[in-house]
Amino acid sequence: MKETIVVTTLVENSVHARGLLAEHGLAFHLQAGPRSLLFDTGQSDLLLHNALKLRISLANAEAIVLSHGHSDHTGGVDAARQAAPKARFFLHPAAPSPKFAGSPDGTGRPIGMDAASAETICKAAKRIVWTATRTEVMEGIFVTGEIPRQNAFEDTGGPFFRDEAGAQPDPLLDDQALFFDTADGLVVLLGCAHSGVVNTLEYIQHLTGSRPIHAILGGLHLLTATPERMEKTLAAFRRLDIQRLAPGHCTGLPALAQLWTAFPARCSSCAVGASWVFQR
Ligand SMILES: [Fe+2]
Ligand SMILES: [Fe+2]
């Protein structure tokens, strides 16, 4: 029998509907029949407000999956935990470690999990599933775990460090994507895609016997992409023949403009309240 999977944006940087609110961050809700999960939690407890307005109950969510440790994805961990007390956490072992963004004056700004989120994770010890490698979260719904960085054109660096002084680059090994197969092909939810969006999609294809990629939703982190990287990213999307794209969050306005220009009929908004229905 066919099953419907509904993905809804609970937190994103933009909003186009009355009563819903936006913040710099990302959180998706996924409903698969009677079962549900959260992918990321935004930067605050805003996901609760938006879930209420969207009439989405988090009470029975089985999993809170974290794409990586940055605070714009993990700031709502405590709120999510309280709203979904039965949920297990799925995160990479490097996600809770200290993370900083470099500043021109040489002092780092903390951008990792805040104290409340880290404490919540710590207390949930028995309900944590560490996802260094591919892990099934719910039936047929997987997180990638660590993503190999194979493409030379995807600069997966950036001003990210493990220490405040900016001496140790943070390879963000915790970055992971969520994916599931449908009748039309794979659906991929991206947090920030710090591993590179093409690396991520090619790795998921490797894991799934090269199933076609039907849809990608979320952050593509192309803010600082060079023209060469953009060109090769667009060429990869054409080659992969991705049917539906909902780029948002950290994708960056110039990259968004290029994506919407290159794939006008395939792009849609990832703003708070957007939702997608898939059949599998
Ligand atoms: Fe982000
Ligand atoms: Fe990030």
Side-chain angles (χ1 to χ4, degrees), residues 163-223:
D163 62 326
E164 198 170 354
Q168 303 165 43
D170 185 349
L172 287 166
L173 298 180
D174 42 322
D175 176 66
Q176 56 180 353
L178 189 90
F179 65 95
F180 54 90
D181 207 358
T182 72
D184 297 316
L186 296 163
V187 175
V188 180
L189 273 58
L190 301 158
C192 275
H194 287 296
S195 306
V197 59
V198 180
N199 281 331
T200 304
L201 299 179
E202 288 179 348
Y203 183 54
I204 291 171
Q205 284 211 309
H206 165 76
L207 293 175
T208 57
S210 293
R211 285 283 296 154
I213 305 222
H214 176 63
I216 62 171
L217 324 172
L220 273 56
H221 204 76
L222 294 167
L223 260 168

Side-chain angles (χ1 to χ4, degrees), residues 35-171:
R35 305 179 70 182
S36 64
L37 63 79
L38 280 169
F39 180 65
D40 285 342
T41 66
Q43 65 158 287
S44 72
D45 60 1
L46 182 66
L47 80 163
L48 302 185
H49 167 89
N50 287 338
L52 198 67
K53 291 281 178 189
L54 291 163
R55 296 171 195 249
I56 289 174
S57 169
L58 304 180
N60 293 317
E62 293 176 34
I64 300 168
V65 183
L66 300 178
S67 66
H68 63 305
H70 282 159
S71 60
D72 50 331
H73 301 253
T74 60
V77 155
D78 194 43
R81 171 74 175 164
Q82 288 185 40
K86 290 176 248 169
R88 290 190 296 164
F89 285 100
F90 290 75
L91 69 164
H92 185 280
S97 58
K99 297 182 183 299
F100 298 86
S103 301
D105 65 2
T107 53
R109 182 169 53 88
I111 56 165
M113 259 184 216
D114 61 26
S117 302
E119 199 187 321
T120 300
I121 298 275
C122 213
K123 281 188 186 156
K126 286 185 188 154
R127 300 190 66 75
I128 293 179
V129 180
W130 298 108
T131 58
T133 56
R134 175 192 34 189
T135 305
E136 190 168 29
V137 179
M138 281 177 6
E139 201 182 350
I141 300 172
F142 298 86
V143 267
T144 55
E146 225 164 287
I147 297 165
R149 288 117 199 252
Q150 312 269 27
N151 290 310
F153 70 89
E154 291 195 295
D155 165 24
T156 56
F160 301 116
F161 299 95
R162 290 191 279 192
D163 62 326
E164 198 170 354
Q168 303 165 43
D170 185 349

